Amino acid sequence: MEVGVDTAAAASGDGADGGATGAQAAAAETTSSAGGADVSAGNDGDGVGSELNDGGAGARARDRRGDGLRTIRPGNMTGTRPATQTVRTIVRTIVAPPAGPAPQPPFQPGATPAEPGRPRFLCYNMIGSVASRPVDDHHAIEVLFHDSSRFSARVPLLTDYYGFDRASLGEKGVFYASLPTKGDTGAEGGESGAAGVPAMVMFRPFDPWAPNSDWTAPLPPGEEALCLATGRSFLAVATSRQLLRLFSLAGSQTAISRLEGPPVAMAAVGSLLAIVWHAGPPNPHTKSQQLFMSMYDTTAMSCVFSQPLPLTPGSLLTWLGFTEDHGLPAVADSQGVVCVRTPDFGGRWLPVFEPSADRRHSEVLWPVGVTSNQLYAIVCKPTEPRPQVSPRPFYTPMSLALPVLALDGGCPPELEGQALLLGLANASLRSRLESAEAGGLVEEASDLNHLLLRGQAEQDRALLKAFQRVVKGERHARALEMAAQLNMFKSLEGALTLANHHQARGLAERISVFMASRQAMLEAAAPAAAPVPQGPTGASQDPDPYGNHHQRNQRSYTPIPFDKRGAAVDREDAAPGLSAGPAHDAEQAGAGGSRGASQPLQPANFNTARGAGSGAGSLTPFANLVASEPGDTGGLSTGPKSARGLPTPNTLLQAATAKPDGGDSSHKRKPVQSYNNPFARKAPKLAK
């Protein structure tokens, strides 16, 4: 609050000397700097910028508006002067708005601030670290990896004479940037100094296939690199002129665009580029930064989204990156809260980690990376909130936890939070799977589908644990809602079993109705013209209870111990010498063709008699030898069997080392019997 007081006084003297006397005026002004206006007060009828004459004397007073002074003339210009004084005071009160915080300066994620004479990190992420150490008149930059087996050779030291102050470490190489030296910014006349060096960017690949693969590009005078990012096939730099410059790995300039606001931070993964920029001045009431995030697809040259970036009120942005397993944007603020953007509800930010109050006072977490279930951060002391280069720090994994409330009913909030996190990962996988299927990427879609099925199984496991706790707490309505969130049909059967176990009859009936409705929905969603899947013999098979109809036509990779398959299976890939010929094929088609081609041989089939319809050539020679009955001339007795119906190792050894009976012709078939006999060559040694 500022107060301005203006006082004007007009004084008159005695008129004894007619021509010698004159009028005198005194003015005192106090100017308010906030209002920017001058206020004067005087007698009524005073003139501004007029002359004051005294008995023909040529005394003049000029109006000086530039100095804030104005001449005050008394209202009575005759020889008679008033004997009173008039004083008028004006008080003006100005209420200024509260001063807000300063806009956050740009920073490089994973970099520590520069300190004179001390080494610092130019970049530290999940791949490795880039450290700069001062050496005499230059710096030595060292690149280290957390997993050295990922790269073929060690990156040599870089002698830095440019003064690189930030870097971005990626899978393909390191992207550096330096500030302009003194003299490049120029004097007031606009002439640049001759000894100045402009700001520069440089890229050094790890495994170049061609010579001279590293390149350097100077920036125009007056332009500095503020943020860097390295993707799979591109490099990005945001400059002080609010320009976004994109380069290829070889140095070609692929795109140049204007940013909507001053850049704050930038990160990249694959072909995606995320930029955080100022959308306006900070809010003076909440002390919060007005930040926006825009994400671009550099391959399709499109904007994926652009929306406000919500942070904890009164905090600053401290880290920007992507999740390591699903590629979701993630941020961290100065309060230690980590948020991940999910594709649900058109894109929302979910707080996945928040340190406790005791932990905030005892330690500082310096984020490095985040996955779908863990946060990787370097634990620092409050006195040293940033990691030091020496000794080399290592990040610590911490489990993510959503701020879930503890409700009555016996279910711990950790189980519900775990189910929500797994649902977040599955939503991301589902979105990527739809994109891969739309783009015709068959192999990637198959891998994503496998990951999605595994993630749904893990989510159902967490939901079933929470379901059991809720049923024990007799919260059947909540339990039914949890059962409706299950992904797999088998998980619904497990929920029904748990409900019957705890004697929740009403809950079990409703789960049964829900299962029937879901089964009807799955059948209705299947194409009407699709043929019913049939087995090798034409018998129809039941639909997959998991809804995995895409796996019906795939070849089964279940290992079969011996070459025992039905007649519907093509036998061209069978090993030569193991087939019994056309007679065996006919016999197999007539008696043993009922077995499906994709079903493996059960242990009980190892001891099947020859007359059971399996055929003489259904097993390998050694298997036929072991599986023969004692009275059969085609083999030997295997003696006692194990609990699973298989011969024990001792009986196998006896069968392999037994001598043939001289009265029969079994010795003539001994070379054939030992064709696949693993004990034939080791029998003399085992006998000793």
Side-chain angles (χ1 to χ4, degrees):
M1 182 177 64
E2 300 182 1
V3 179
V5 181
D6 300 341
T7 305
S12 62
D14 221 8
D17 301 332
T21 60
Q24 299 178 353
E29 293 184 0
T30 304
T31 304
S32 174
S33 60
D38 300 335
V39 181
S40 308
N43 291 335
D44 296 337
D46 290 348
V48 179
S50 60
E51 298 180 359
L52 181 63
N53 300 327
D54 182 13
R60 297 182 178 180
R62 299 179 178 177
D63 182 16
R64 300 187 299 170
R65 296 181 181 270
D67 298 336
L69 302 177
R70 288 184 292 178
T71 304
I72 307 301
R73 180 182 178 182
N76 189 5
M77 297 301 300
T78 61
T80 305
R81 291 182 292 272
T84 61
Q85 294 183 353
T86 301
V87 178
R88 184 171 60 185
T89 304
I90 299 177
V91 178
R92 177 179 297 174
T93 302
I94 301 175
V95 179
Q104 181 179 358
F107 71 96
Q108 185 68 26
T112 57
E115 299 180 6
R118 299 188 62 179
R120 58 180 290 242
F121 282 114
L122 302 181
C123 181
Y124 193 104
N125 54 20
M126 297 296 293
I127 300 177
S129 61
V130 182
S132 176
R133 292 181 172 85
V135 179
D136 298 335
D137 59 343
H138 62 277
H139 289 76
I141 297 180
E142 182 182 13
V143 179
L144 298 177
F145 303 105
H146 301 311
D147 185 8
S148 59
S149 61
R150 299 174 58 182
F151 303 95
S152 59
R154 180 177 178 271
V155 180
L157 293 177
L158 173 63
T159 303
D160 176 24
Y161 290 100
Y162 296 102
F164 295 119
D165 66 329
R166 60 198 66 202
S168 176
L169 178 61
E171 296 285 348
K172 302 296 183 179
V174 189
F175 196 30
Y176 300 95
S178 65
L179 295 174
T181 59
K182 186 176 181 180
D184 178 67
T185 56
E188 296 182 358
E191 298 179 358
S192 59
V197 178
M200 306 187 70
V201 292
M202 184 180 70
F203 177 69
R204 299 188 68 186
F206 293 144
D207 297 323
W209 64 272
N212 301 325
S213 297
D214 52 341
W215 52 270
T216 304
L219 298 179
E223 186 175 358
E224 300 177 5
L226 302 181
C227 304
L228 303 176
T230 305
R232 179 175 54 195
S233 59
F234 72 95
L235 307 170
V237 53
T239 66
S240 57
R241 295 178 57 188
Q242 294 185 202
L243 291 179
L244 175 62
R245 299 179 179 270
L246 298 181
F247 302 88
S248 65
L249 298 182
S252 301
Q253 304 183 48
T254 57
I256 300 176
S257 62
R258 175 76 67 178
L259 297 176
E260 293 86 345
V264 179
M266 193 162 52
V269 61
S271 62
L272 300 178
L273 174 65
I275 306 175
V276 177
W277 45 276
H278 284 288
N283 193 329
H285 301 284
T286 60
K287 310 296 182 182
S288 302
Q289 304 285 328
Q290 295 189 22
L291 302 178
F292 257 69
M293 173 182 283
S294 299
M295 190 166 73
Y296 303 97
D297 189 348
T298 58
T299 301
M301 291 295 177
S302 61
C303 179
V304 181
F305 69 86
S306 182
Q307 61 178 194
L309 177 61
L311 299 177
T312 305
S315 62
L316 301 177
L317 180 67
T318 58
W319 180 78
L320 172 65
F322 290 85
T323 57
E324 297 295 327
D325 45 3
H326 301 305
L328 299 177
V331 297
D333 56 27
S334 55
Q335 298 293 333
V337 180
V338 180
C339 298
V340 176
R341 186 184 184 275
T342 67
D344 299 337
F345 299 100
R348 61 186 177 94
W349 290 92
L350 181 66
V352 297
F353 182 84
E354 184 174 357
S356 59
D358 299 338
R359 195 166 195 172
R360 290 179 181 177
H361 293 87
S362 61
E363 59 189 18
V364 177
L365 300 181
W366 201 72
V368 177
V370 63
T371 61
S372 59
N373 55 0
Q374 285 185 333
L375 168 69
Y376 297 93
I378 299 176
V379 181
C380 304
K381 299 179 181 179
T383 56
E384 296 181 357
R386 298 173 182 85
Q388 303 298 323
V389 176
S390 181
R392 186 185 179 188
F394 294 95
Y395 51 78
T396 303
M398 305 175 186
S399 299
L400 300 182
L402 297 178
V404 182
L405 301 179
L407 303 179
D408 53 349
C411 179
E414 292 79 9
L415 290 179
E416 293 189 59
Q418 183 182 3
L420 288 176
L421 285 176
L422 293 173
L424 164 66
N426 293 337
S428 174
L429 287 174
R430 193 177 298 108
S431 177
R432 294 171 58 188
L433 177 60
E434 294 175 357
S435 301
E437 290 178 348
L441 305 176
V442 180
E443 295 182 359
E444 183 178 356
S446 178
D447 296 340
L448 291 175
N449 183 69
H450 176 71
L451 295 176
L452 179 59
L453 292 177
R454 187 173 61 181
Q456 289 177 350
E458 294 178 358
Q459 183 183 8
D460 288 358
R461 188 179 298 108
L463 285 174
L464 285 176
K465 291 181 181 179
F467 176 85
Q468 184 179 9
R469 299 292 185 89
V470 172
V471 173
K472 285 184 178 180
E474 297 183 354
R475 300 287 179 175
H476 296 172
R478 193 183 305 170
L480 181 61
E481 294 175 351
M482 290 184 177
Q485 300 177 13
L486 296 173
N487 300 282
M488 297 184 174
F489 201 86
K490 186 176 181 180
S491 302
L492 285 172
E493 294 177 351
L496 180 61
T497 304
L498 289 175
N500 291 326
H501 175 73
H502 292 282
Q503 298 181 358
R505 301 292 180 84
L507 177 61
E509 292 177 359
R510 284 166 174 79
I511 292 178
S512 300
V513 173
F514 179 76
M515 292 172 62
S517 62
R518 175 174 287 190
Q519 184 69 20
M521 291 175 59
L522 291 176
E523 293 177 356
V532 179
Q534 297 181 355
T537 59
S540 61
Q541 296 179 351
D542 295 335
D544 189 1
Y546 295 95
N548 303 328
H549 305 286
H550 59 280
Q551 295 183 356
R552 291 172 177 170
N553 298 328
Q554 295 182 1
R555 183 176 178 181
S556 176
Y557 291 96
T558 305
I560 299 178
F562 305 105
D563 189 22
K564 183 176 182 180
R565 300 180 181 178
V569 180
D570 189 6
R571 303 184 57 84
E572 293 182 358
D573 55 344
L578 299 183
S579 177
H584 164 71
D585 295 339
E587 183 182 1
Q588 186 72 11
S594 60
R595 177 175 300 276
S598 61
Q599 297 182 5
L601 190 65
Q602 300 298 328
N605 301 120
F606 290 165
N607 301 322
T608 304
R610 298 175 60 89
S614 58
S618 58
L619 301 179
T620 58
F622 177 64
N624 291 329
L625 172 67
V626 173
S628 301
E629 294 297 334
D632 195 351
T633 58
L636 301 174
S637 174
T638 57
K641 309 294 188 301
S642 62
R644 298 180 58 187
L646 292 174
T648 60
N650 291 334
T651 56
L652 289 175
L653 179 60
Q654 293 175 4
T657 58
K659 295 182 179 181
D661 190 3
D664 56 9
S665 59
S666 60
H667 62 282
K668 298 181 181 179
R669 297 189 299 270
K670 186 173 181 180
V672 179
Q673 295 172 358
S674 61
Y675 178 75
N676 282 339
N677 190 349
F679 298 95
R681 295 186 300 271
K682 298 182 180 180
K685 297 182 180 180
L686 294 176
K688 294 180 181 180

